[in-house]
Amino acid sequence: MNWLEERMPGIGRIAKDIAEHPVPSHTLNIFYCLGGLTLLCFIIQCLTGVFLAFYYKPTPEAAFASVQMITNEVRFGSVIRSMHHWSCQLMILLVFLHMLRVYYTGAFKKPRELNWVAGCFLLVLSLGLAFTGYLLPYEQLSYWASVIGAETANTLPVIGPTLKIMMQGGIKVTAEMLSRFYVLHVMILPAITIGFLVAHFIMIRVQGISDPM
Ligand code: HEM
Ligand code: HEM
């Protein structure tokens, strides 16, 4: 730390401020851990997702075969894939439970309204990540689930038909649908999620955790 402090004066104070921040006693229970556990799942998703991306091929011809190869041939491939799969299910469950904790403790009220709104974006982003990831193995179930998703988007007033075409790459499903979902899944949505998470945590730090009811 001294070595760093000499080169970047002030960094020790920031590290001390983070490490020595007291935890309010009323938050020492499982319900206040749900946000942190959601974050842990997101970190696991990013780490295991990068390993999957080393072998995954986002084309209609090769996607399913590459996922089969990850499962059957790549060393620890099935473990990494299972971790990605189950941590996704857990993340969605935990984010809803976290939202319920915030709601039932009234933590969305003044001055935390903006953080509730940031949280709503995080909820939609988490669902978007799970939805776009679902198509990637390109098996019957994932293909038709994405078609249903695109048709559901189609029913939205005004923007519906355009949204469907943007998702599928045309009136009918095209090869672009997989490329688009892949780019959304591994680049755009994780990057936007990280941005909202930073804002979420800065607001929590500035406002402090809400008082007990
Ligand atoms: C990826 C999703 C999310 C992550 C990783 C996350 C993470 C966290 C963490 C670590 C905390 C600290 C306290 C705690 O854990 O309970 C927190 C607090 C908070 N979160 Fe989230 N959150 C997410 C989604 C949401 C959603 C969906 C909402 C609501 C719509 C929300 C609203 C809030 C609010 C208002 C607080 C302040 C609570 C208080 O002061 O008691 N968050 N979040
Ligand atoms: C919160 C974040 C994420 C969620 C909820 C999520 C969810 C999913 C889901 C549900 C699947 C389908 C898996 C299956 O059925 O076996 C999947 C596949 C995949 N994900 Fe993610 N993912 C996330 C983040 C990432 C990130 C950050 C990357 C890469 C940088 C990534 C890369 C992949 C790849 C390559 C696949 C296809 C391989 C396979 O199906 O096993 N994911 N993801």
Side-chain angles (χ1 to χ4, degrees), residues 31-33 35-36 38-39 91 95 98-99 101-102 107 112 115-116 119-120 122-123 126 197 200-201 204 208-210:
F31 299 109
Y32 284 81
C33 295
T38 311
L39 176 69
M91 181 174 163
V95 74
H98 167 60
M99 193 169 128
R101 190 289 282 170
V102 170
R112 296 184 182 79
N115 217 10
W116 172 268
C120 291
L122 283 170
L123 179 71
S126 307
L197 282 176
H200 202 55
F201 298 144
I204 294 167
I209 288 287
S210 57

Coordinates of all heavy atoms in Angstrom, one line a residue, residues 31-33 35-36 38-39 91 95 98-99 101-102 107 112 115-116 119-120 122-123 126 197 200-201 204 208-210, ligand 1:
F31 N -31.9 -11.2 4.2 CA -32.7 -10.4 3.3 C -31.9 -9.2 2.7 O -32.1 -8.8 1.6 CB -34.0 -9.8 3.9 CG -34.9 -11.0 4.4 CD1 -35.0 -11.2 5.7 CD2 -35.5 -11.8 3.5 CE1 -35.8 -12.3 6.2 CE2 -36.3 -12.8 3.9 CZ -36.5 -13.1 5.2
Y32 N -30.9 -8.7 3.5 CA -30.1 -7.6 3.0 C -28.9 -8.2 2.2 O -28.1 -7.4 1.7 CB -29.6 -6.7 4.1 CG -30.7 -5.8 4.6 CD1 -31.7 -6.3 5.5 CD2 -30.8 -4.5 4.2 CE1 -32.7 -5.5 6.0 CE2 -31.8 -3.7 4.7 CZ -32.8 -4.2 5.5 OH -33.8 -3.4 6.0
C33 N -28.8 -9.5 2.1 CA -27.7 -10.1 1.3 C -28.1 -10.4 -0.2 O -27.3 -10.7 -1.0 CB -27.2 -11.4 1.9 SG -26.5 -11.2 3.5
G35 N -29.1 -8.5 -2.7 CA -28.5 -7.7 -3.8 C -27.1 -8.2 -4.0 O -26.7 -8.4 -5.2
G36 N -26.3 -8.4 -3.0 CA -24.9 -8.9 -3.1 C -24.9 -10.2 -3.8 O -24.0 -10.5 -4.6
T38 N -27.1 -11.4 -5.9 CA -27.4 -11.2 -7.3 C -26.1 -10.8 -8.0 O -25.8 -11.2 -9.1 CB -28.4 -10.1 -7.5 OG1 -29.5 -10.4 -6.6 CG2 -29.0 -10.0 -8.9
L39 N -25.3 -9.9 -7.4 CA -24.1 -9.4 -8.0 C -23.1 -10.6 -8.2 O -22.5 -10.7 -9.2 CB -23.5 -8.3 -7.1 CG -22.1 -7.8 -7.6 CD1 -22.2 -7.0 -8.9 CD2 -21.4 -7.0 -6.5
M91 N -29.8 -16.1 -10.5 CA -29.7 -14.6 -10.6 C -31.1 -14.0 -10.8 O -31.5 -13.0 -10.2 CB -28.8 -14.2 -11.8 CG -28.6 -12.7 -11.9 SD -27.4 -12.2 -13.1 CE -27.9 -10.5 -13.4
V95 N -32.8 -11.6 -8.1 CA -33.1 -10.2 -8.3 C -34.5 -9.9 -8.0 O -34.8 -8.8 -7.4 CB -32.7 -9.8 -9.8 CG1 -33.7 -10.4 -10.8 CG2 -32.6 -8.3 -10.0
H98 N -34.6 -9.7 -4.2 CA -34.0 -8.5 -3.7 C -35.0 -7.3 -3.9 O -35.2 -6.5 -3.0 CB -32.7 -8.2 -4.5 CG -32.1 -6.9 -4.4 ND1 -31.7 -6.3 -3.2 CD2 -31.9 -5.9 -5.4 CE1 -31.2 -5.1 -3.5 NE2 -31.3 -4.9 -4.7
M99 N -35.7 -7.3 -5.0 CA -36.6 -6.2 -5.3 C -37.8 -6.3 -4.3 O -38.2 -5.2 -3.8 CB -37.2 -6.4 -6.7 CG -38.0 -5.3 -7.3 SD -38.2 -5.6 -9.0 CE -39.9 -5.3 -9.1
R101 N -37.5 -7.4 -1.2 CA -37.0 -6.9 0.1 C -37.0 -5.4 0.1 O -37.5 -4.7 1.0 CB -35.6 -7.4 0.2 CG -34.9 -7.2 1.6 CD -34.6 -5.7 2.0 NE -33.3 -5.2 1.3 CZ -33.0 -4.0 1.3 NH1 -33.7 -3.0 1.9 NH2 -31.9 -3.6 0.7
V102 N -36.6 -4.8 -1.0 CA -36.5 -3.3 -1.1 C -38.0 -2.7 -1.0 O -38.2 -1.8 -0.3 CB -35.9 -2.9 -2.5 CG1 -36.0 -1.4 -2.7 CG2 -34.4 -3.2 -2.5
A107 N -37.7 0.8 1.1 CA -36.4 1.4 0.7 C -36.4 2.1 -0.6 O -35.4 2.8 -0.9 CB -35.3 0.3 0.7
R112 N -34.4 7.5 -2.2 CA -33.8 6.4 -3.0 C -34.7 6.2 -4.3 O -34.5 5.1 -4.9 CB -33.7 5.2 -2.2 CG -32.7 5.3 -1.0 CD -32.5 4.1 -0.2 NE -31.6 4.4 0.9 CZ -31.9 5.0 2.0 NH1 -33.2 5.4 2.2 NH2 -31.0 5.3 2.9
N115 N -32.6 5.3 -7.3 CA -32.0 4.0 -7.2 C -33.0 2.9 -7.5 O -32.7 1.8 -8.1 CB -31.3 3.8 -5.9 CG -30.0 3.0 -6.0 OD1 -29.6 2.8 -7.1 ND2 -29.5 2.6 -4.9
W116 N -34.3 3.1 -7.2 CA -35.3 2.1 -7.5 C -35.4 2.1 -9.1 O -35.5 1.0 -9.7 CB -36.6 2.5 -6.9 CG -37.8 1.7 -7.3 CD1 -38.7 2.0 -8.3 CD2 -38.2 0.5 -6.8 NE1 -39.6 1.0 -8.5 CE2 -39.4 0.1 -7.5 CE3 -37.8 -0.4 -5.7 CZ2 -40.1 -1.1 -7.3 CZ3 -38.5 -1.5 -5.5 CH2 -39.6 -1.9 -6.2
G119 N -32.7 0.3 -10.5 CA -32.9 -1.1 -10.3 C -33.9 -1.7 -11.3 O -33.7 -2.8 -11.8
C120 N -34.9 -0.9 -11.7 CA -35.9 -1.4 -12.7 C -35.2 -1.7 -14.0 O -35.4 -2.7 -14.7 CB -37.0 -0.4 -12.9 SG -38.1 -0.3 -11.5
L122 N -32.0 -2.5 -14.2 CA -31.2 -3.7 -14.0 C -32.1 -5.0 -14.1 O -31.6 -6.0 -14.6 CB -30.6 -3.7 -12.6 CG -29.4 -2.7 -12.5 CD1 -29.0 -2.5 -11.0 CD2 -28.2 -3.3 -13.3
L123 N -33.3 -4.9 -13.6 CA -34.2 -6.1 -13.8 C -34.5 -6.4 -15.2 O -34.3 -7.6 -15.7 CB -35.6 -5.8 -13.1 CG -36.6 -6.9 -13.1 CD1 -36.2 -8.0 -12.2 CD2 -38.0 -6.4 -12.7
S126 N -31.3 -7.9 -16.8 CA -31.1 -9.2 -16.4 C -32.0 -10.2 -17.2 O -31.5 -11.2 -17.7 CB -31.4 -9.4 -14.9 OG -30.7 -8.5 -14.1
L197 N -24.9 -0.9 -12.8 CA -24.5 -1.4 -11.5 C -23.6 -0.4 -10.8 O -23.7 -0.1 -9.6 CB -23.7 -2.7 -11.6 CG -24.6 -4.0 -11.8 CD1 -23.7 -5.2 -12.1 CD2 -25.5 -4.2 -10.7
H200 N -25.8 2.2 -9.5 CA -26.6 1.6 -8.3 C -25.7 1.7 -7.0 O -26.2 2.1 -6.0 CB -26.9 0.2 -8.7 CG -28.1 -0.4 -8.0 ND1 -29.3 0.1 -7.9 CD2 -28.2 -1.6 -7.2 CE1 -30.1 -0.7 -7.2 NE2 -29.5 -1.7 -6.8
F201 N -24.5 1.3 -7.2 CA -23.6 1.2 -6.0 C -23.2 2.5 -5.5 O -23.0 2.8 -4.3 CB -22.4 0.2 -6.2 CG -22.8 -1.2 -6.5 CD1 -22.2 -2.0 -7.4 CD2 -24.0 -1.7 -5.9 CE1 -22.6 -3.3 -7.7 CE2 -24.4 -3.0 -6.2 CZ -23.7 -3.8 -7.1
I204 N -26.0 3.8 -3.5 CA -26.2 3.2 -2.2 C -25.1 3.8 -1.3 O -25.4 4.1 -0.1 CB -25.9 1.7 -2.4 CG1 -27.0 1.0 -3.2 CG2 -25.9 1.0 -1.0 CD1 -26.8 -0.4 -3.6
G208 N -26.5 5.7 1.7 CA -26.5 4.8 2.8 C -27.6 3.8 2.7 O -28.6 4.1 2.0
I209 N -27.5 2.7 3.4 CA -28.6 1.7 3.4 C -29.8 2.3 4.2 O -29.6 3.0 5.2 CB -28.1 0.4 4.0 CG1 -27.2 -0.3 3.0 CG2 -29.3 -0.6 4.4 CD1 -27.8 -0.9 1.8
S210 N -31.0 2.0 3.8 CA -32.2 2.6 4.5 C -32.3 2.1 5.9 O -31.8 1.0 6.3 CB -33.5 2.1 3.7 OG -33.5 0.7 3.7
Ligands
HEM1 C1 -28.5 -7.0 -11.2 C2 -29.4 -6.6 -10.3 C3 -29.1 -5.9 -9.0 C4 -28.0 -6.0 -8.2 C5 -26.7 -6.7 -8.4 C6 -28.3 -5.1 -7.0 C7 -27.4 -4.9 -6.0 C8 -27.7 -4.3 -4.8 C9 -27.0 -4.3 -3.5 C10 -25.7 -5.1 -3.3 C11 -27.6 -3.5 -2.6 C12 -27.2 -3.2 -1.2 C13 -28.3 -3.7 -0.2 C14 -28.8 -5.1 -0.5 O1 -28.1 -6.0 -0.9 O2 -30.0 -5.3 -0.2 C15 -28.8 -2.9 -3.3 C16 -29.6 -2.0 -2.8 C17 -30.7 -1.5 -3.4 N1 -31.3 -1.9 -4.6 FE1 -30.4 -3.3 -5.8 N2 -29.6 -4.6 -7.1 C18 -30.1 -5.1 -8.3 C19 -31.4 -4.9 -8.8 C20 -32.3 -4.0 -8.1 C21 -33.7 -3.9 -8.5 C22 -34.4 -4.8 -9.6 C23 -34.3 -2.9 -7.7 C24 -35.7 -2.4 -7.7 C25 -36.4 -2.3 -8.7 C26 -33.2 -2.5 -6.8 C27 -33.3 -1.4 -5.9 C28 -32.4 -1.2 -4.9 C29 -32.6 -0.1 -3.9 C30 -33.7 0.9 -3.8 C31 -31.5 -0.3 -2.9 C32 -31.3 0.5 -1.7 C33 -31.8 -0.3 -0.5 C34 -31.7 0.3 0.8 O3 -31.1 1.4 1.0 O4 -32.2 -0.4 1.8 N3 -32.1 -3.2 -7.1 N4 -28.8 -3.4 -4.6

